[in-house]
Amino acid sequence: MKFYRLPQTDLDVSSIILGMMRIANMSNGEIQQLVGGARDAGVTFIDHADIYGGAPHRCEARFGEAISLTAAEREKLVIQSKVGIRKGFFDFSAEHILASVDQSLAALKTDYMDVLLLHRPDSLVEPEEVAAAFDTLKSAGKVRHFGVSNHTPGQVELLKTAVTQPLIVNQVQLSITHAPLIASGVAANMAGLDQSIDRDNGLLDYSRINGMMLQAWSPFQKGFFDGVFLDDRENFGDLNDAIDELAKAYGVTPTGIAVAWITRHPAKIQVVLGTTKPERVVEAAAGSSVSLTREEWYRLFRAAGHTVP
């Protein structure tokens, strides 16, 4: 397992994050097996959101019901959750942030959250409201660190006009095949090439310059919830051939190589897994330690359909 220092903190965290989005219908024993297997593999970071599970705080509650942590065990884990998505709209009001965090903490059965993220951008955001909520949560010891998810550099800068706590994380969609975050920079200034369109407003470079950890969600998705590219020979035959060859060379699984492509980047990007299978977590953890060469990394990039001018 590769570990990173979480920017602007004293926390060393696993490069693999165990996402809890799909645990709502799992038994306590299944959740315990998943979390226990992840911890045995070196995973120290758990990701939640108040929206996960089909009902508010459903997955957080299932985690809290299934996992009992001693004080010492709790200190060794980084538990993160997200707030702001409501049914049909987004809400970054101070009232909603504060109420939702209290409900998350009760569901998770913990006194504090290590990291709180604003989930998707609220177009009606008032930075002063967010700042007031964050100040209250920080001073009460309910949240230790703060960040965002799916935000552009401009949206982060807007929050910073009022928010005084460092915004240390931005969780975004990224996989080998869904990589505009990276691909647009590779093909910068190429007129007429769709890949050159900057859809993220320079987010990758902005994050590295400003000390924000990027977290990659849907690391195996072809596109936006279009299914996984692993074993999709019809659409990604060359990519899967390259992945299989590298997996054999490095002694890991194809899942591990898909993870290694992300963790090889010097931005030190964490990988958020949505799997409910402990063995997949083990495969991802092994892949995180693989250091692909530049030639190998770009080979996968090209095989995924991206242009290297």
Side-chain angles (χ1 to χ4, degrees), residues 7-21:
Q8 305 182 68
T9 77
D10 60 356
L11 295 175
D12 290 317
V13 297
S14 56
S15 56
I16 301 299
I17 297 175
L18 183 63
M20 297 281 97
M21 185 173 69

Side-chain angles (χ1 to χ4, degrees), residues 69 81 109 122 156 201 209 258:
L69 298 170
S81 195
K109 296 185 179 179
D122 177 8
V156 174
N201 298 285
I209 292 168

